[in-house]
Amino acid sequence: HAAFIRPQPPSLTGEMGMAVVKPEFRSHGLLNRMTDYLLKEIRSESVIGVYGRAVTNHTFSQQVGMRMGMRDCALQLAFVPADVTFRGITEKLLHRDTAIVHFMYVHPPSRGQLCIPAHHRDMVLRLYENIGASWELEEHDGSRASCEQDDSSVRTGTYTRMAFAHIDVMRYGRDVIREVKARLREFCLNRFEVIHLYLNLHDPCTCVFTSAFEELGFFFSGILPGVFPGDALILQYLNNVDVDYDGLRIHAQGGKDLRDYVKKLDPNGPGR
C-alpha cells in the first residue's frame, strides 16, 4: 500500500505516505514500483511539489525518497508515537520516533519572494538549495507596526491518536502572540506531546514575530513549500518529550546537518 494525499486548499503541496509492504514480500522492489506509479500520477495534479515523512529508526524509507529525487527539508522530532511497530525492522519503539521530511518539486515556481528571519537565514537558504530551488529568491522584511493593524487569524488541527497538534498562522495581527500562546497552552493541558507552528515565509510579518514565538518554547524544525499556498517555516514544541539525537539514523548529509542545527536550538536539548 502507498498513497498520495491530495492537498486541501489553499495548500499546493501533497503528501506521499502510508507506504507498507508485508515482510514476506519485501526485497522485490515493490515499494519502488508503487512510488514510481504514484509519482507519475502526481505529475498530472495541480501541485508544485510532493513531500513525505520518513522515520529515523531505520533509513529504508529515506533511501526510497532519495531515489525518487526527494531531499530533506525538515526534522520533526518525536512525531511518530511509540506504539507504532515496524514488522521485520523495529518490532517495538522504545520512545516516540522522529520523522525527517523530504520534498521534491513537481512544477516549481519561477520565482519567489521570501521573508527569512535573520537568525535562521543561512540554514533556510541551505534547505532551499538542498531541495533544488533554482528559482529566484527575493528577501524582504516587515515592520511591527504594519503587522499589528488587524486581528490575527489562527487555524489549528489535531491528531489525537498521535498526540500531535499544529497551529497555522493564516494572518498576523496585534493579538497573534496571545492567540498562539493560548492555543499552545490548551494543547499542552490536553496532553498533546508535539505541537507544530506553521509560519508563512512569504509574509514579511514572519520576520517580525518568529523570535517572539521562540520565546514561548518553539524552535526550528525546517521548511515546507506550498503550504499557505506560500512556503512554510515550521517551528516545533515538545511537551515533556525527550529526544535521543544520537539515536537518530539519518541517511543524507543534508539531513544530518539539519539534525545538528535543530539539536543546537532545542531549549531542552543536551547542554541546556
Side-chain angles (χ1 to χ4, degrees):
H1 181 275
F4 173 61
I5 305 169
R6 289 179 172 85
Q8 294 294 321
S11 177
L12 294 175
T13 299
E15 181 178 5
M16 181 180 289
M18 297 188 288
V20 60
V21 178
K22 285 186 175 182
E24 58 266 34
F25 297 106
R26 290 174 185 164
S27 301
H28 295 287
L30 295 178
L31 182 58
N32 289 337
R33 288 164 60 187
M34 288 191 293
T35 52
D36 286 345
Y37 171 80
L38 280 178
L39 186 57
K40 181 180 178 180
E41 293 296 310
I42 290 168
R43 292 191 185 281
S44 66
E45 299 280 338
S46 57
V47 297
I48 67 167
V50 58
Y51 72 95
R53 293 185 176 97
V55 294
T56 57
N57 64 82
H58 63 80
T59 64
F60 301 135
S61 52
Q62 297 176 46
Q63 293 178 54
V64 171
M66 284 201 68
R67 189 193 64 82
M68 292 175 56
M70 289 185 167
R71 295 296 182 266
D72 300 334
C73 64
L75 187 68
Q76 298 182 336
L77 299 172
F79 184 80
V80 183
D83 60 357
V84 173
T85 59
F86 301 85
R87 289 181 57 197
I89 301 175
T90 301
E91 295 304 320
K92 184 177 180 180
L93 297 177
L94 299 178
H95 46 71
R96 294 182 68 97
D97 190 29
T98 290
I100 192 156
V101 182
H102 42 218
F103 176 87
M104 179 180 64
Y105 284 108
V106 177
H107 303 294
S110 59
R111 59 185 295 153
Q113 191 177 60
L114 298 177
C115 174
I116 305 174
H119 56 300
H120 295 310
R121 182 183 184 277
D122 290 345
M123 176 51 68
V124 168
L125 291 179
R126 285 170 63 185
L127 291 175
Y128 271 109
E129 181 181 4
N130 193 45
I131 63 176
S134 58
W135 41 279
E136 181 182 357
L137 299 180
E138 297 180 4
E139 297 182 59
H140 62 129
D141 299 308
S143 66
R144 186 151 192 139
S146 64
C147 296
E148 294 182 335
Q149 295 179 359
D150 302 309
D151 291 332
S152 60
S153 175
V154 173
R155 180 179 65 184
T156 62
T158 59
Y159 301 86
T160 304
R161 181 185 173 277
M162 297 181 66
F164 166 75
H166 63 88
I167 306 169
D168 309 334
V169 177
M170 308 303 294
R171 184 180 68 247
Y172 290 93
R174 63 181 69 89
D175 59 344
V176 66
I177 301 299
R178 183 171 67 251
E179 285 294 310
V180 170
K181 185 176 182 180
R183 301 292 82 75
L184 174 63
R185 182 176 185 275
E186 175 185 345
F187 289 143
C188 288
L189 289 175
N190 283 285
R191 299 184 179 180
F192 285 90
E193 296 183 308
V194 179
I195 301 102
H196 288 171
L197 179 63
Y198 284 77
L199 308 176
N200 191 346
L201 275 170
H202 297 271
D203 190 326
C205 298
T206 290
C207 286
V208 175
F209 287 109
T210 295
S211 293
F213 294 136
E214 290 171 330
E215 290 176 3
L216 298 178
F218 288 99
F219 60 104
F220 190 87
S221 170
I223 62 171
L224 186 59
V227 173
F228 283 98
D231 298 357
L233 172 68
I234 309 173
L235 303 182
Q236 56 194 329
Y237 183 99
L238 301 182
N239 185 17
N240 296 314
V241 178
D242 290 327
V243 175
D244 178 16
Y245 285 93
D246 294 333
L248 303 184
R249 301 179 65 182
I250 298 177
H251 180 70
Q253 186 59 49
K256 294 176 182 178
D257 293 342
L258 177 59
R259 174 201 58 198
D260 294 342
Y261 186 78
V262 171
K263 177 181 177 180
K264 181 178 64 175
L265 296 176
D266 184 348
N268 299 307
R272 294 297 179 115

